[in-house]
Amino acid sequence: MPTIRIFEQPDLDAVVALSLRAWAPVFASLERVLGPVFRLLEPDWRSGQARAVTEACTAEGARAWVADADGLITGFLVVGLDHGRGIGEIRMIAVDPDYQRRGIGSALTSFALGRMRDNGMTVAMVETGGDPGHAPARRTYEQAGFVPLPITRYFRKLAE
């Protein structure tokens, strides 16, 4: 099992690269579900995700960690803490596809919950999609004791 350590700036390229590989099936699933609306929402999902991961990991006060196996980054995690409401949130989490189904996602999730408890949070939250591409994430969260709140978000392409 890899070591979970604090994210450092030199980790950024590896984190962005693994996140794009990890989320490719998710975005393919979203495209199947949403059809032509997908391209309107995500004209270039790779650059948008690369930007979002970079911002999440490097923002002022960011709480980000990586799963490190002998110098190879196999996953990452970003946690947000809302001290006013006592809610900790897993904002981003991904595991390199070559290392998935080895318990790394579960280890990162457990690590996140520990950091939340250590910081006085009373509730943990994570958000994910209901499409087939997000099924592995849902399994990981449910195994960690998260309870899903069914929410439906609808999209429709408007006439041209």
Side-chain angles (χ1 to χ4, degrees), residues 1 4 93 95 102-113 139-141 143-144:
M1 188 60 67
I4 298 175
I93 187 169
V95 176
R102 298 184 190 185
I104 296 169
S106 294
L108 286 165
T109 301
S110 179
F111 182 88
L113 296 173
R139 275 192 304 275
T140 298
Y141 304 141
Q143 287 172 352

Side-chain angles (χ1 to χ4, degrees), residues 12-36:
L12 184 60
D13 289 343
V15 166
V16 168
L18 85 81
S19 71
L20 295 179
R21 288 191 306 278
W23 290 329
V26 170
F27 281 97
S29 175
L30 291 174
E31 187 167 17
R32 283 190 300 276
V33 170
L34 293 172

Side-chain angles (χ1 to χ4, degrees), residues 2-148:
T3 301
I4 298 175
R5 63 166 175 79
I6 194 90
F7 168 87
E8 298 172 350
Q9 187 65 35
D11 300 328
L12 184 60
D13 289 343
V15 166
V16 168
L18 85 81
S19 71
L20 295 179
R21 288 191 306 278
W23 290 329
V26 170
F27 281 97
S29 175
L30 291 174
E31 187 167 17
R32 283 190 300 276
V33 170
L34 293 172
V37 172
F38 176 79
R39 290 283 173 208
L40 297 172
L41 296 171
E42 298 287 347
D44 181 7
W45 74 263
R46 285 176 181 80
S47 64
Q49 279 304 114
R51 188 172 41 259
V53 169
T54 298
E55 290 171 3
C57 290
T58 62
E60 180 81 26
R63 292 174 182 87
W65 294 269
V66 296
D68 184 321
D70 299 320
L72 181 64
I73 295 173
T74 58
F76 85 104
L77 163 73
V78 179
V79 171
L81 303 174
D82 181 339
H83 289 281
R85 295 174 49 207
I87 298 175
E89 177 184 6
I90 295 176
R91 292 189 176 158
M92 283 191 177
I93 187 169
V95 176
D96 188 298
D98 292 339
Y99 293 87
Q100 290 176 358
R101 308 203 50 78
R102 298 184 190 185
I104 296 169
S106 294
L108 286 165
T109 301
S110 179
F111 182 88
L113 296 173
R115 298 300 71 72
M116 292 175 196
R117 277 195 253 4
D118 292 348
N119 281 278
M121 301 298 105
T122 56
V123 174
M125 180 182 81
V126 63
E127 193 172 302
T128 194
D131 62 288
H134 284 94
R138 290 192 305 275
R139 275 192 304 275
T140 298
Y141 304 141
E142 289 170 13
Q143 287 172 352
F146 284 88
V147 177

